[in-house]
Amino acid sequence: MEELVKVSNLKFKYPDGTSLTFDGQEFTVNRGERVVILGPNGSGKSTLLSLLLGLLTSSEGNINVLGVDPAKDYEKVRERIGVLLQNVDLQIIAPKVSEDISFSPRNYGYKKEEIDKLVDDILMKLEIEHLRDKVPHYMSGGEKTKVGIAGALVTKPELLILDEPFEHIDPTCRMELINLLNNVNKENGTAILLSTHNMNTVPLIADTVYLIAEGGKIVGKGTPKEIFSEIEKLSQCHVEPPILGSLFAELKKQGIDLDVSLTVEEAACAIANEIVSLKNKSGAA
């Protein structure tokens, strides 16, 4: 598969001397892949994304985004990357929603007719046509997040980078955003890279999960099911294990060895099947 992002042995030092080292294994994002960076606050998730966006410069290691070093040549690839910052208020800068969404294509030199069509299309796709003429300052957190996503997606980027996108929105808006991102990934083949410490969202939005410990060390990589099975490793990284992961770990201690389920429905089905199987074995005996 084509690698859009590749990071290895990356080191960053803050002005106060504190450093983060992203090593342990290579970090990659393939075309069309949905990747989640999972880790506690302070582990370096936002710093890593800032390095990928050329906002920070590493002191050591290798970093490649769409074929360039972002610290040196981000301008060459910025049109191919959509970004949603952790604080969306810092990203929405125009006085009206439609003007904010059209900011990137206007600056990239698109013609007015093309800009209007792009804005119309993304407003319709995100079902936020009613926000077109709104003043962003007066919108809810969920509405601002959707507008920020619209601005990030308006030019149909190959790679979408989101920093803690579910942090300040309610559960209903969170599910709407997850469904939206999955649809964009499926329909456009857009690769998605996002950071979070919210375990409940991981199985709904990830193909691959990177687990990052304090200091930036990459201590795990796998599918959501594989990462959810690493209860001890999650605890060591100060990430609260998912309740289903803890449940199946406890069942294993009791002699019932089942694969970790990612949803309540899946867990209920697995446990019910196991009960039936045990009853059948007991009856046969």
Side-chain angles (χ1 to χ4, degrees), residues 61 104 176 199 222:
S104 290
E176 291 176 352
M199 293 295 293

Side-chain angles (χ1 to χ4, degrees), residues 231 243-256:
I231 300 299
I243 190 66
L244 290 177
S246 299
L247 170 63
F248 280 82
E250 189 60 35
L251 286 172
K252 188 173 183 178
K253 292 179 183 178
Q254 302 297 325
I256 303 174

Side-chain angles (χ1 to χ4, degrees), residues 199 211 226-237 239-250 253 260:
M199 293 295 293
L211 180 59
E226 289 169 339
I227 295 298
F228 276 26
S229 299
E230 299 277 1
I231 300 299
E232 290 186 8
K233 187 176 288 186
L234 288 167
S235 297
Q236 291 169 1
C237 293
V239 173
E240 183 177 356
I243 190 66
L244 290 177
S246 299
L247 170 63
F248 280 82
E250 189 60 35
K253 292 179 183 178
V260 173

Side-chain angles (χ1 to χ4, degrees), residues 1-222:
M1 298 180 68
E2 182 186 357
E3 291 179 343
L4 301 186
V5 174
K6 186 173 183 178
V7 170
S8 57
N9 300 317
L10 202 62
K11 187 171 184 177
F12 175 77
K13 183 174 290 188
Y14 292 100
D16 66 359
T18 304
S19 64
L20 294 170
T21 303
F22 301 98
D23 62 2
Q25 57 185 293
E26 283 189 337
F27 178 93
T28 60
V29 179
N30 296 314
R31 183 172 296 280
E33 187 178 18
R34 300 173 303 163
V35 175
V36 168
I37 306 172
L38 179 64
N41 288 331
S43 59
K45 301 187 300 296
S46 294
T47 298
L48 177 56
L49 296 184
S50 293
L51 288 164
L52 295 176
L53 294 170
L55 300 175
L56 297 174
T57 303
S58 61
S59 57
E60 296 179 23
N62 299 305
I63 180 168
N64 187 297
V65 178
L66 297 174
V68 305
D69 179 342
K72 299 177 181 177
D73 296 307
Y74 185 75
E75 287 297 312
K76 295 180 179 179
V77 297
R78 66 172 184 157
E79 190 174 345
R80 300 163 63 189
I81 301 173
V83 181
L84 183 69
L85 302 175
Q86 186 171 0
N87 188 346
V88 71
D89 286 310
L90 298 177
Q91 186 167 340
I92 300 177
I93 57 176
K96 199 163 68 172
V97 165
S98 59
E99 294 173 0
D100 193 86
I101 295 173
S102 66
F103 179 82
S104 290
R106 280 189 283 113
N107 279 272
Y108 296 151
Y110 286 48
K111 294 181 179 179
K112 184 180 184 306
E113 295 78 12
E114 189 174 6
I115 293 172
D116 292 342
K117 184 177 187 312
L118 287 172
V119 172
D120 288 343
D121 288 348
I122 198 63
L123 286 169
M124 185 178 301
K125 181 179 284 291
L126 272 61
E127 299 181 352
I128 54 172
E129 298 99 320
H130 61 289
L131 298 179
R132 175 190 295 273
D133 297 318
K134 293 285 186 180
V135 178
H137 177 74
Y138 297 108
M139 297 189 304
S140 69
E143 289 173 333
K144 289 179 182 178
T145 297
K146 289 180 180 178
V147 170
I149 288 284
L153 291 174
V154 67
T155 56
K156 301 178 181 179
E158 299 167 50
L159 173 64
L160 179 62
I161 296 178
L162 309 100
D163 191 7
E164 296 281 4
F166 312 118
E167 185 69 6
H168 303 294
I169 56 179
D170 61 51
T172 299
C173 187
R174 187 181 303 132
M175 281 308 306
E176 291 176 352
L177 181 55
I178 288 171
N179 291 333
L180 162 68
L181 293 174
N182 285 333
N183 287 337
V184 167
N185 170 260
K186 183 177 180 181
E187 293 173 10
N188 300 342
T190 304
I192 296 173
L193 170 60
L194 66 86
S195 66
T196 187
H197 60 268
N198 188 321
M199 293 295 293
N200 294 327
T201 61
V202 173
L204 305 175
I205 193 65
D207 299 311
T208 303
V209 182
Y210 285 90
L211 180 59
I212 298 185
E214 291 182 3
K217 190 173 184 64
I218 302 172
V219 297
K221 174 188 178 182

